[in-house]
Amino acid sequence: MVSERKKCSKHVGVIGAGPSGLVAARELREEGHSVVVFEQSHEVGGQWLYNPNVENEDPLGKDTFLKVHSSMYASLRLTSPREIMGFTDFPFLVKKGRDMRRFPGHRELLLYLKDFCEWFGLREVIRFNTRVEYVGMLDYGEFGKDLRWIVRSKEKRCEKVVEEVFDAVVVATGHYSHPRLPSIRGMEAWKRKQMHSHVYRVPEPFRNEVVVVIGNSLSGQDISMELVDVAKHIYLSAKSLEISEGLSKVISKHQNLHLCPQINSLHEDGRVLFVDGTWVIADTIIYCTGYSYSFPFLDTKEIVVVDDDRVGPLYEHTFPPSLAPSLSFVGIPRKLIGFPFFESQAKWIAELLSGKRTLPPWDDMMRSIKEFYQSRDVDGVPKHNTHDIANFEYCDKYGDHIGFPHLEEWRKELCRSALRNADANLETYRDSYDDLELLQEALKSPHFTQLEPKSLPLSDPIN
């Protein structure tokens, strides 16, 4: 809803300088707010800032505060074509001297985010090497009104702790860092190497090993395909043996890659027993079992909780009704075209904080959340998939709250085309595709012609 109130400027803390934090900072500044972005790493990028140094991380990622944020492995390439990934006013262009492929490696996306940061002058508001340790409500005014937040942060180098008060806090810490692990009988007793894909980086350490990969997600498939050249055998354990045509082709091509059912139990002698009674003796188990939402710094007095990876209650995956708009989350939804959606979230938050818009009444927001949960239950969606959207219509409806443009048809079609191609040609879809006519249409659209390429910044591909 649009408000007639006079526009006001707030002091806002943004936690995280990945894609969602950067676009939040940009939108907040454009709406006239003062912004401080807290970033625990030395550079922007969040998940896209590759970190090879995982030796000191718990291999199963069980620590509350992880030492390593990024889960990127060295060979990772985008699973979506670059054309669909850019923010609405900053296309992800091909640049000479950089990775010019349509499905580039992770470094190219980091450079895009650095370009975005330079273009919009965001670096000056980011505090690097600063970890947020605590965010809590300041006991101030009537509950829900004039609510302010204490943010306690620590500078890594000098261990200096700073405590500040903000009018609002935007949580933008990503959702691909904290490992989600299955519960398998014998996990604790199994004495060989167990690790989550969060700390997988390169295939070489697994040379001549027998490796069990649990989960045939994108990372499970990627890592299995990478291991075929070094490991003795790879056993890919999947919930369902009904797999895509693409994965089926890969398995029939590689004699040392085997599809297996779910695991029944692990045994001290190294045996991995599958539910069909077959077993193997393995050297390593890699859990490619996804990630959990985790906000160890956030104290909302149990108003916002994470219950089996449902973060709630959140109106439209963004606003806790009792604390909004002074507390909000950007980047929680998964399985969508991320950057434009994060941008629409950020714009809504910025306009709410300035008073340009208002949220519906508390009762209406809570009713909307309850109805959403019920619809998920009716559709048989497990609770831990609450925030998996996979629906272009939802993204468009979300944007309607603030008059944000709908996703272009070419963007939707290029996304669908890549998904179909990956399903049929898992090993080759990033380099061989049949959507070039659609690509030409996309490149002629206003999204790609809005900025003069010569005027765009060019991040150094080496630094």
Side-chain angles (χ1 to χ4, degrees):
M1 290 179 281
V2 177
S3 167
E4 298 301 315
R5 278 169 42 197
K6 186 169 168 281
K7 200 168 158 181
C8 62
S9 171
K10 295 285 174 69
H11 186 43
V12 188
V14 176
I15 305 172
S20 49
L22 290 174
V23 78
R26 195 272 301 266
E27 293 298 334
L28 287 162
R29 286 180 92 196
E30 289 199 352
E31 191 61 18
H33 304 292
S34 70
V35 181
V36 175
V37 180
F38 298 91
E39 173 49 56
Q40 62 183 347
S41 297
H42 66 281
E43 184 51 276
V44 300
Q47 194 54 239
W48 298 96
L49 182 62
Y50 176 68
N51 183 352
N53 306 311
V54 292
E55 304 78 28
N56 297 324
E57 185 74 282
D58 179 277
L60 291 173
K62 288 183 172 177
D63 297 337
T64 305
F65 281 94
L66 295 175
K67 297 176 183 71
V68 176
H69 178 74
S70 176
S71 300
M72 293 285 144
Y73 37 96
S75 67
L76 185 136
R77 288 174 65 184
L78 302 191
T79 56
S80 302
R82 67 190 303 146
E83 304 85 36
I84 74 172
M85 294 203 53
F87 295 114
T88 61
D89 57 355
F90 197 76
F92 188 6
L93 298 173
V94 170
K95 296 186 177 179
K96 277 185 185 163
R98 298 218 313 221
D99 187 343
M100 298 171 74
R101 295 172 296 178
R102 287 190 68 199
F103 293 79
H106 55 79
R107 174 136 186 82
E108 180 66 8
L109 190 54
L110 173 67
L111 294 176
Y112 167 78
L113 292 171
K114 287 172 81 170
D115 288 345
F116 179 82
C117 195
E118 303 308 324
W119 183 255
F120 293 103
L122 300 176
R123 205 166 276 276
E124 65 195 49
V125 300
I126 303 172
R127 288 187 203 161
F128 292 106
N129 297 304
T130 304
R131 183 196 286 266
V132 170
E133 300 201 321
Y134 173 82
V135 173
M137 290 172 267
L138 188 65
D139 188 19
Y140 181 81
E142 187 189 333
F143 184 71
K145 298 269 195 288
D146 297 323
L147 187 59
R148 294 198 296 169
W149 296 84
I150 298 168
V151 175
R152 190 163 64 236
S153 61
K154 184 191 273 189
E155 252 185 85
K156 278 188 185 171
R157 292 198 179 110
C158 60
E159 295 282 301
K160 186 174 84 172
V161 175
V162 177
E163 202 164 274
E164 297 157 278
V165 175
F166 289 89
D167 299 312
V169 168
V170 178
V171 179
T173 49
H175 51 234
Y176 291 124
S177 288
H178 282 263
R180 180 181 169 88
L181 292 166
S183 178
I184 299 173
R185 197 151 45 93
M187 258 177 99
E188 300 298 327
W190 206 77
K191 294 290 182 266
R192 299 185 178 200
K193 194 161 61 178
Q194 295 187 71
M195 60 187 280
H196 190 276
S197 56
H198 170 65
V199 294
Y200 174 89
R201 292 297 179 265
V202 292
E204 189 52 42
F206 307 93
R207 183 165 293 281
N208 298 322
E209 285 194 356
V210 174
V211 182
V212 172
V213 175
I214 301 179
N216 71 334
S217 59
L218 291 171
S219 60
Q221 295 175 11
D222 251 9
I223 289 169
S224 296
M225 289 192 293
E226 184 165 82
L227 289 173
V228 292
D229 295 327
V230 297
K232 190 186 289 180
H233 287 285
I234 304 103
Y235 295 90
L236 178 58
S237 167
K239 272 183 185 167
S240 169
L241 299 183
E242 287 181 25
I243 56 170
S244 70
E245 179 192 352
L247 182 55
S248 185
K249 283 179 192 170
V250 173
I251 289 168
S252 60
K253 181 177 162 186
H254 299 284
Q255 289 188 329
N256 62 339
L257 178 57
H258 318 273
L259 183 66
C260 301
Q262 283 185 283
I263 291 170
N264 174 284
S265 54
L266 305 178
H267 299 266
E268 281 189 63
D269 60 1
R271 268 182 312 140
V272 177
L273 178 66
F274 300 101
V275 291
D276 64 356
T278 60
W279 56 271
V280 297
I281 289 182
D283 299 296
T284 298
I285 296 173
I286 303 176
Y287 294 91
C288 298
T289 46
Y291 294 88
S292 289
Y293 296 96
S294 178
F295 313 102
F297 53 83
L298 185 60
D299 177 12
T300 63
K301 309 295 179 207
E302 299 293 305
I303 292 172
V304 179
V305 295
V306 182
D307 174 19
D308 190 16
D309 284 326
R310 172 180 283 174
V311 186
L314 290 184
Y315 176 63
E316 300 290 13
H317 305 273
T318 312
F319 305 104
S322 298
L323 304 173
S326 73
L327 179 68
S328 57
F329 296 78
V330 176
I332 282 192
R334 301 186 278 212
K335 295 197 176 176
L336 38 64
I337 301 177
F339 290 16
F341 188 81
F342 304 158
E343 188 180 345
S344 65
Q345 287 185 292
K347 200 175 279 285
W348 195 1
I349 292 163
E351 292 185 359
L352 285 166
L353 291 174
S354 71
K356 187 187 281 187
R357 294 181 187 275
T358 57
L359 283 167
W362 184 89
D363 287 348
D364 293 359
M365 289 194 280
M366 291 302 289
R367 189 179 309 114
S368 168
I369 294 165
K370 191 176 173 187
E371 286 169 1
F372 172 68
Y373 289 168
Q374 285 171 342
S375 74
R376 287 301 212 180
D377 291 342
V378 168
D379 292 342
V381 177
K383 190 183 279 188
H384 68 261
N385 295 132
T386 295
H387 304 293
D388 291 1
I389 306 298
N391 186 326
F392 291 135
E393 198 181 324
Y394 175 78
C395 300
D396 288 343
K397 276 187 182 164
Y398 187 98
D400 288 344
H401 288 291
I402 50 162
F404 192 79
H406 287 188
L407 286 167
E408 307 92 334
E409 282 309 309
W410 58 259
R411 221 188 265 247
K412 296 175 185 176
E413 278 307 314
L414 281 174
C415 179
R416 290 188 188 108
S417 165
L419 289 169
R420 283 194 301 268
N421 196 8
D423 200 58
N425 305 295
L426 185 59
E427 261 187 315
T428 59
Y429 78 95
R430 291 180 178 95
D431 297 304
S432 178
Y433 23 78
D434 59 3
D435 56 3
L436 294 179
E437 273 183 41
L438 197 55
L439 174 61
Q440 290 313 310
E441 182 192 326
L443 295 176
K444 287 176 188 160
S445 72
H447 175 68
F448 283 98
T449 57
Q450 64 187 314
L451 293 176
E452 176 59 46
K454 290 188 188 72
S455 68
L456 283 168
L458 182 65
S459 275
D460 185 341
I462 290 148
N463 290 335

